[in-house]
Amino acid sequence: MLGSQPTASAVEGYARASLSLPKLESAKRYVLLACGKPRVEAYAKLYADMVRLAKESEGTTTVLVPFTGQDAKEMLGRADITITRSGGMTAGELLALRTRKEDQKQMLLHVESVADKRATKILAKHLQKSEKQDALEAAFEESALEGMVPWEAGNARYLMKAVGAKVVIPKIFVAVLRNSSALPFTVDWTTLLRRRGFGLDEIAFATAPPSGCEAAVCTREFDDLPLPETVAKGNSSCLSALRYFNGPSLTSIHLHADAVANRRGRLKNGHMCNGASFMVRKRPERVGAFFFNIDSAAQAVTSSCGGRIMNCGDFVVPHIF
């Protein structure tokens, strides 16, 4: 029940997600869908669409019950699971319901979809101090609450603390009910890798890997960090060659603090892949090629550290043994 002015796409999203829940053996699951004021054209259409969807899903153990213009307090009181917003009146009702000793309903708070880039920045911050799944959940909650009006965000935070409410969007509704993990937003990998301390060449390689370098291409994990300098194994000439090939430690005065911290003792243009170590640089053009002889720098890495050089499109990739 998303209030008197529900987001139509959200109502439909929760309805369709409910139909994907596991089949019940000997009972039915009733999903009550508040469709807004019937005199508003958009909500009249939403109601008609939900009636149509309910008819299409007849015969399943999930029964959709769209309604409009009715008092919902009895439904809210009897429901096992509620999906609401966190306005003042609704928050008060949820808190009052929790005072009933027998009330153990699961309270979910709907939020609008979050901005992927903003959520990714928050994810990078939480990865500094939390495990991957905890960081994902914290980033989703924080970015979702940031997008709300302050008083509703404050209500949501209090409900999460007082009654164990969880924020939700249709995309992760089923996963939340199953207490399983789900990716609540699309990670902006360019933003995340930059915040994790990777250099521009490494980011370009990771986000659009060229053909011919399959050995160096891995599925990136959220908690990946640049290649540690310990790959040199105490060999000073190897470390010097790696640092030169890697390039300057800072490329921008606007570099985020997290990136600076993640580059300490690490090579920003290097990564691990299936236990192997790789350095990555994009072949410089024109004047850049005059100041940085990439082939000579790559040869110094493989000569000092051991390995082989892979040429992949515009990238030179030393594979360090």
Side-chain angles (χ1 to χ4, degrees), residues 68-69 75 95-96 148 170 272 313 320:
T68 181
M75 303 178 204
L95 290 170
M148 299 169 67
M272 297 286 292
I320 306 164

Side-chain angles (χ1 to χ4, degrees), residues 30-303:
Y30 291 88
V31 181
L32 309 177
L33 303 165
C35 297
K37 298 178 180 180
R39 293 183 180 179
V40 177
E41 183 179 353
Y43 297 143
K45 180 180 184 304
L46 172 62
Y47 177 74
D49 290 343
M50 292 302 94
V51 169
R52 189 177 305 110
L53 182 60
K55 290 180 178 179
E56 291 172 359
S57 61
E58 286 179 353
T60 68
T61 58
T62 297
V63 180
L64 301 182
V65 185
F67 68 93
T68 181
Q70 298 179 41
D71 194 341
K73 62 178 182 294
E74 288 84 2
M75 303 178 204
L76 186 67
R78 294 186 62 183
D80 297 307
I81 301 167
T82 62
I83 307 173
T84 65
R85 297 188 189 275
S86 57
M89 185 70 75
T90 302
E93 291 170 345
L94 294 175
L95 290 170
L97 287 172
R98 185 58 95 220
T99 62
R100 302 184 302 181
K101 292 183 179 180
E102 72 280 5
D103 189 275
Q104 296 298 321
K105 68 172 77 275
Q106 187 171 0
M107 299 177 181
L108 305 178
L109 305 175
H110 169 74
V111 295
E112 299 304 325
S113 296
V114 302
D116 294 332
K117 189 169 184 177
R118 177 58 185 157
T120 300
K121 290 180 179 178
I122 297 173
L123 170 62
K125 178 184 71 174
H126 284 285
L127 282 169
Q128 294 292 103
K129 53 189 176 181
S130 304
E131 295 295 326
K132 181 169 64 175
Q133 188 56 41
D134 291 339
L136 272 171
E137 293 174 0
F140 171 57
E141 290 177 0
E142 186 175 330
S143 57
L145 296 178
E146 275 189 0
M148 299 169 67
V149 293
W151 53 90
E152 289 198 4
N155 292 341
R157 291 187 180 94
Y158 185 78
L159 288 169
M160 291 163 67
K161 182 178 179 181
V163 299
K166 297 180 179 179
V167 293
V168 68
I169 55 176
K171 179 180 178 180
I172 63 170
F173 171 58
V174 174
V176 169
L177 293 186
R178 292 178 173 178
N179 288 316
S180 59
S181 60
L183 191 60
F185 55 89
T186 301
V187 173
D188 183 321
W189 279 99
T190 297
T191 297
L192 181 62
L193 292 173
R194 185 170 64 247
R195 291 295 182 104
R196 295 297 283 168
F198 288 96
L200 297 179
D201 290 349
E202 177 67 42
I203 293 171
F205 182 86
T207 53
S211 60
C213 261
E214 285 73 16
V217 177
C218 281
T219 301
R220 295 304 176 104
E221 300 292 339
F222 302 139
D223 49 359
D224 283 350
L225 286 171
L227 188 68
E229 289 187 343
T230 52
V231 70
K233 300 177 182 178
N235 183 334
S236 59
S237 61
C238 172
L239 182 57
S240 295
L242 288 170
R243 286 175 172 172
Y244 180 68
F245 186 85
N246 181 65
S249 59
L250 297 179
T251 58
S252 171
I253 60 174
H254 302 295
L255 197 64
H256 194 269
D258 287 347
V260 174
N262 290 331
R263 286 186 185 176
R264 290 174 186 151
R266 294 181 178 274
L267 303 161
K268 65 178 181 179
N269 285 310
H271 68 277
M272 297 286 292
C273 181
N274 296 324
S277 301
F278 298 89
M279 295 295 296
V280 174
R281 290 302 301 272
K282 193 171 185 179
R283 191 174 291 279
E285 299 178 356
R286 299 174 184 172
V287 177
F290 177 78
F291 289 101
F292 179 59
N293 187 326
I294 191 170
D295 295 305
S296 176
Q299 186 61 50
V301 169
T302 55
S303 297

